[in-house]
Amino acid sequence: MAALSVRGLHKRFGSTEVLKGIDLSVENGEFAVLLGPSGCGKSTLLNIIAGLERPNEGEVEIGGRVVTGLPPRDRDIAMVFQSYALYPAMTVRRNITFGMECRGVPRARQDEAVARVAALLQIDGLLERKPSQLSGGQRQRVAMGRALVRDPLLFLFDEPLSNLDALLRVDMRTEIKQLHRRIGSTIVYVTHDQIEAMTMASRIAVMNLGRLQQFATPDEVYHRPANLFVARFIGTPPMNTVKARLASDGAALVAIVGAGRPDETRLVLPAAPEAARAWIDREVFFGIRPECISDGGRGVDFSAVKVSAEVELSEPTGAETVVLARLAGERVRARVGPHVRLNQGQSAPFLVDTRTTCLFDPASEQLIA
Amino acid sequence: MAEAVAEAVAEAVADAALPVATPAARRGRWLIYAVLLSFAVFFLVPLGVVLLNSVRTAQEIGLGSVIGWPRGFAMENYAEAWSRYCIAQRCEGVRNYMWNSLLMTVPATLVSTALGALAGYSVSLWRFRGDTIVFTIMLMGVFLPDQMRLIPWALVLRELGLTNTIAALVLIHTVQGLSFTTLFCRNYFVGIPQDLIKAAKVDGAGFFRIFWRIVLPLSPPILIVTVIWQFTGIWNEFLYGVTFTTGAQQPITAAIIAISVSSPTDVPQYGVQSAAVLLAALPTLLVYFFGGRYFMRGLTAGAVK
Ligand SMILES: Nc1ncnc2c1ncn2[C@@H]1O[C@H](COP(=O)(O)OP(=O)(O)OP(=O)(O)O)[C@@H](O)[C@H]1O
Ligand SMILES: [Mg+2]
């Protein structure tokens, strides 16, 4: 059963349309991540799901019940905010019990619930403190506790980790993931951090400019991006997308980068989809992940194509070196071994693994599948 | 000359933050202190004269001058001003009028502050259709001169049958205070993060519960400011008091005007009059002395650190 369904959602603020028709269905127990650049409407969507904003059009269904007109308190949801939104004048304990207080839960049950959540999140020692006496990580935990103390149909998280420092964020990421595994509830989680999305999500909803671009597993979003936006948004560095001409070479398809140039590069595509045949002798966008272009020192399969490209920039990151190079005139990024040092202007050999590439329609920008 | 002073002052101001000052800057700083001090003295002279006269006897003032150091310490001026001094043919001192003022000021202050807090809360943290228009209209009350409101109030009071009552003044000051109290509270409450309200809504709290449990506990700084502002403003106000009340119903500020109307045969009662004036001013002076600190702090405080 779908824990959450959103149908045909439109939201306008004055004359600007922030959500332009969102359809989304999240299964029971799923960890759905809303991912997208700043200002694309993630928080707006989450607020509409929570009932904090009204949509101009469309419907929201939670646990099989249409809740579009209902106020937040009648939607059986819990929410964690980016700013944590802890009530400054209340102790941690009161912060956690406030929701139960509003719902008239008896005192004994409240105490029980607080004890359970405090143990779960290891905040037992903080219960009598005020939020101003807590560190960022502790506040984050309390904010989680306030949501977890209830047993709602749906948890909504709006960038809960973005105010934490990098190390703490990695820890909390793991904890939230484990927590989800333990309690098994449905979560909708907003972030603009790809790593968070990739590591935690069961499915990622990629949004841009008020539209849902793709809603699929992290694997699929990464390897089969639905369109050029997703391809260029996911991954650090993201997928290379270069103009290429498609040609057939016997049974196989070939992408020709820089066709007509003296250094034109022919890349055989062993895994090109059937639909791509319609694009023979036409221009497409050829997409390839930077890790599929390497210096050959990483045990790449012998089926890889040897190419030569001119190095423009070399960025050592520690674990690897990202090289910006020109392949037949087109800019591409490659990921080479950490000890490989290439000089600017030098022409260097690369190995291109073409087994997992993508082709995009240049007009509609959609994946050719 | 003026330029040189300006230069020295500018230098002094610029250097004020620095631990070591040049001789020029030090001279400039003394100049600033001297100017400020003379202003302070200038403003305090009336208070000083009244204070000194309030403990001088009528003879002493009559023989000497109105400005002078007291020879003795005539506390009976205060006793007389409090309960026997004749104001407008009523020889009962200021105490009844003081009581009137208190009866007027306390309820008007409390009610206008409470309603202002509630109104400020709803225009700042709850968006509703036309909320900015409502707020703009309320704001106009801040700028409307009091004289313009006299006639409308006269009509309203007659309709309500409240002419010449303290209740009328309570009503007037409560309603007229609303513009200010709403503005104060609204400007403070916009500093409260919207997320707090959203979180409380998700938690299941409604309009009044959020006000009571989330917003009010954050509000003491601005409530103190508003109460001080309203209390001193209403206590010191006299136009409405003079216009709408007479005789025994008047607040102290209106009644004390009668001091200036003394018969020519009388010996001027400067001592008792000074004491009466000081008694009339005492509540607001006390509020400034004990609350001024909180007033400044509250004006600059944010809602959430
Ligand atoms: N109350 C509002 N009135 C007018 N415009 C708004 C309002 N709330 C949001 N917007 C606009 O809607 C767009 C989407 O905002 P939203 O907060 O949903 O973005 P977001 O995806 O959550 O971004 P971020 O990652 O920065 O949090 C933005 O362009 C924002 O300026
Ligand atoms: Mg957001």
Side-chain angles (χ1 to χ4, degrees), chain A residues 11-14 16-19 35-47 53 82 158-159 190-192 207 210, chain B residues 127 198:
Chain A
K11 176 68 184 175
R12 283 178 290 273
F13 287 114
T16 48
E17 190 162 30
V18 174
L19 296 180
L35 178 67
S38 198
C40 71
K42 306 180 295 289
S43 298
T44 306
L45 176 56
L46 205 68
N47 282 340
E53 298 268 10
Q82 178 175 7
D158 193 353
E159 308 204 28
V190 167
T191 182
H192 58 234
M207 288 180 62
Chain B
R127 311 312 309 262
K198 288 185 180 177

Side-chain angles (χ1 to χ4, degrees), chain A residues 47 50 52-53 72-73 77-79 81-90 94-96 98-103 132 139 146 150, chain B residues 126 192-207 209-220 303-305:
Chain A
N47 282 340
L52 294 166
E53 298 268 10
R73 66 163 160 269
I77 51 161
M79 192 157 171
F81 294 83
Q82 178 175 7
S83 60
Y84 313 140
L86 300 180
Y87 311 127
M90 296 186 197
R94 288 271 159 275
N95 262 282
I96 294 175
F98 185 65
M100 293 185 283
E101 181 194 316
C102 294
R103 289 175 164 78
S132 58
R139 286 179 204 188
R146 198 167 59 181
R150 301 193 10 238
Chain B
W126 288 73
I192 293 179
Q194 272 291 334
D195 275 0
L196 281 187
I197 309 299
K198 288 185 180 177
K201 283 188 196 170
V202 172
D203 265 341
F207 181 86
R209 195 194 293 262
I210 294 177
F211 180 63
W212 194 250
R213 297 276 278 123
I214 315 281
V215 174
L216 267 195
L218 298 176
S219 309
V304 181
K305 294 163 283 299

Side-chain angles (χ1 to χ4, degrees), chain A residues 20-284:
Chain A
K20 304 168 184 168
I22 302 280
D23 290 276
L24 192 69
S25 184
V26 178
E27 296 303 312
N28 235 338
E30 223 182 328
F31 197 126
V33 171
L34 298 182
L35 178 67
S38 198
C40 71
K42 306 180 295 289
S43 298
T44 306
L45 176 56
L46 205 68
N47 282 340
I48 290 176
I49 295 171
L52 294 166
E53 298 268 10
R54 280 177 178 282
N56 294 94
E57 278 169 55
E59 223 176 33
V60 178
E61 197 180 288
I62 295 175
R65 190 168 59 114
V66 176
V67 296
T68 317
L70 295 183
R73 66 163 160 269
D74 298 329
R75 294 192 174 203
D76 206 2
I77 51 161
M79 192 157 171
V80 179
F81 294 83
Q82 178 175 7
S83 60
Y84 313 140
L86 300 180
Y87 311 127
M90 296 186 197
T91 60
V92 167
R93 177 188 297 281
R94 288 271 159 275
N95 262 282
I96 294 175
T97 56
F98 185 65
M100 293 185 283
E101 181 194 316
C102 294
R103 289 175 164 78
V105 174
R107 207 42 186 270
R109 287 251 316 277
Q110 291 186 19
D111 291 342
E112 233 171 78
V114 171
R116 174 176 57 83
V117 167
L120 187 69
L121 293 170
Q122 293 153 23
I123 49 173
D124 312 68
L126 311 175
L127 289 176
E128 306 312 325
R129 292 206 204 162
K130 292 276 177 68
S132 58
Q133 300 166 311
L134 301 178
S135 71
Q138 290 169 334
R139 286 179 204 188
Q140 211 282 332
R141 272 164 206 273
V142 175
M144 299 263 299
R146 198 167 59 181
L148 288 172
V149 76
R150 301 193 10 238
D151 188 23
L153 281 174
L154 193 60
F155 284 102
L156 304 174
F157 290 72
D158 193 353
E159 308 204 28
L161 303 186
S162 61
N163 284 338
L164 298 181
D165 65 58
L167 279 178
L168 204 50
R169 201 177 316 171
V170 174
D171 285 347
M172 285 309 294
R173 206 162 73 200
T174 320
E175 273 188 45
I176 292 179
K177 202 172 162 179
Q178 284 169 345
L179 204 65
H180 174 245
R181 205 166 291 156
R182 200 150 7 131
I183 59 179
S185 0
T186 316
I187 296 180
V188 178
Y189 186 106
V190 167
T191 182
H192 58 234
D193 181 332
Q194 302 189 21
I195 314 277
E196 264 174 43
M198 295 297 287
T199 53
M200 299 202 285
S202 59
R203 275 196 292 170
I204 301 177
V206 184
M207 288 180 62
N208 188 39
L209 300 174
R211 287 211 167 79
L212 188 61
Q213 306 290 326
Q214 186 170 16
F215 186 35
T217 62
D219 228 27
E220 208 175 330
V221 167
Y222 192 78
H223 293 293
R224 308 294 299 161
N227 56 37
L228 277 179
F229 172 79
V230 179
R232 289 170 181 167
F233 183 70
I234 302 281
T236 30
M239 185 182 271
N240 296 300
T241 52
V242 299
K243 278 234 159 72
R245 175 168 283 278
L246 214 56
S248 69
D249 184 3
L253 282 177
V254 180
I256 307 169
V257 181
R261 289 169 58 110
D263 59 349
E264 75 167 27
T265 305
R266 298 172 69 86
L267 299 166
V268 179
L269 310 176
E274 259 326 289
R277 297 217 157 263
W279 293 81
I280 286 171
D281 289 334
R282 288 164 69 188
E283 289 268 300
V284 293

